[in-house]
Amino acid sequence: LAAIDHQDLGELIKQVTLTRKKLVDFLDNRKFEDLVKGCFVRYKSDSSSKEESYIIAQIIGVKQGHK
């Protein structure tokens, strides 16, 4: 494996990060799970905090359910 500096890593993650709009666009696709698996999402880690801190997580699977 080649070493990746932080700037390159940030660019790579941006390329495979799904925006909320992309997720909504993919929802009706029958292959939704295949489309999103392995991609990354960013979400706010603590809604009660005044600081904006986010977590980046990789999608490993999809579970159907109600909101």
Side-chain angles (χ1 to χ4, degrees):
L1 277 174
I4 298 174
D5 66 34
H6 291 285
Q7 206 167 14
D8 290 340
L9 181 59
E11 283 303 311
L12 286 171
I13 290 174
K14 278 183 189 176
Q15 291 175 15
V16 293
T17 298
L18 292 174
T19 62
R20 185 177 302 191
K21 182 185 178 336
K22 284 182 190 174
L23 277 172
V24 170
D25 289 346
F26 291 153
L27 277 175
D28 291 331
N29 192 307
R30 287 185 288 162
K31 295 188 177 198
F32 177 78
E33 185 168 3
D34 294 334
L35 290 169
V36 300
K37 196 183 288 187
C39 291
F40 291 84
V41 290
R42 180 184 76 150
Y43 63 94
K44 196 166 183 180
S45 62
D46 185 2
S47 60
S48 64
S49 174
K50 291 182 181 184
E51 281 187 34
E52 287 194 4
S53 67
Y54 293 90
I55 293 174
I56 296 175
Q58 188 173 25
I59 298 171
I60 58 171
V62 175
K63 190 175 178 180
Q64 264 193 327
H66 301 287
K67 187 173 179 179

